[in-house]
Amino acid sequence: MRSDGFIELPVARPVTLGTSCVYRHADGTPIPATVGTAEFQVDSTTFPDGGKRWYLHAHEQARGVVGCQPTLSTSVFPTRKTD
């Protein structure tokens, strides 16, 4: 892991990342009952172009979810809007 928190991955090389997910209240404090782990598979086609930053999210939406289902996005925000 780099000092900025990103992981550099070799181009077109499969790798398995172990992830840990925790959901947080609006004030940033963790919700203990939501802690989970999951493996995230990266294959040779996961990142079609080099040099982009991808963010690993615990789930594709941010509200009303349970569990750790890692998903990638080029945004720091989850892919579905929440209110």
Side-chain angles (χ1 to χ4, degrees), residues 3 58 63 66 75:
S3 61
R63 286 186 92 104
V66 177
S75 170

Side-chain angles (χ1 to χ4, degrees), residues 17-83:
L17 300 174
T19 64
S20 179
C21 306
V22 62
Y23 296 91
R24 297 180 179 277
H25 295 287
D27 67 2
T29 58
I31 304 170
T34 65
V35 176
T37 60
E39 289 187 344
F40 186 79
Q41 300 292 325
V42 176
D43 65 30
S44 60
T45 62
T46 303
F47 303 108
D49 301 309
K52 292 184 181 178
R53 288 187 174 202
W54 289 83
Y55 299 87
L56 191 62
H57 297 286
H59 201 279
E60 63 184 19
Q61 61 186 25
R63 286 186 92 104
V65 297
V66 177
C68 191
Q69 299 173 7
T71 185
L72 286 171
S73 173
T74 54
S75 170
V76 297
F77 300 105
T79 57
R80 295 187 186 169
K81 288 186 178 183
T82 62
D83 54 2

Side-chain angles (χ1 to χ4, degrees), residues 1-8 53:
M1 184 179 309
R2 298 179 350 182
S3 61
D4 62 3
F6 282 87
I7 301 169
E8 290 185 30
R53 288 187 174 202

